[in-house]
Amino acid sequence: WWLEFRRVLFRSLEVRLEKYAFYRCHNGVIVNLDYVDYVQEFMIVLVSGEKIYTTKSRKKELIKKLAERTGSA
């Protein structure tokens, strides 16, 4: 039951943050789009240099969100 509870809490957080500059790039990982430096293959590189893995399907949506954010959509 704990994993399901955690999943519901995470999904609730994800939904609340969607209207801001946040995006869920992987299970258990939400990134602030303002801190994404670039995306290479399936790695999101933050301005801090930290690298975060994303999936193929989530990468496609991430690129779309980043383009909307920068006005290049």
Side-chain angles (χ1 to χ4, degrees):
W1 71 269
W2 173 249
L3 289 177
E4 185 61 30
F5 177 70
R6 195 171 124 204
R7 189 175 298 124
V8 169
L9 285 176
F10 194 79
R11 178 67 183 141
S12 172
L13 178 62
E14 177 187 3
V15 168
R16 289 182 14 211
L17 291 174
E18 276 179 348
K19 61 184 172 186
Y20 303 104
F22 290 87
Y23 182 71
R24 182 177 181 183
C25 59
H26 200 271
N27 292 338
V29 180
I30 296 176
V31 295
N32 183 330
L33 299 177
D34 292 336
Y35 290 89
V36 174
D37 193 15
Y38 61 93
V39 179
Q40 184 177 32
E41 296 295 321
F42 297 105
M43 281 296 160
I44 300 166
V45 182
L46 303 179
V47 294
S48 66
E50 185 176 354
K51 296 177 182 176
I52 302 169
Y53 175 79
T54 190
T55 63
K56 184 177 182 178
S57 60
R58 292 189 193 267
K59 177 188 173 186
K60 192 175 190 177
E61 183 67 20
L62 172 66
I63 297 298
K64 180 180 167 189
K65 295 274 187 190
L66 287 170
E68 289 170 0
R69 196 106 182 107
T70 60
S72 56

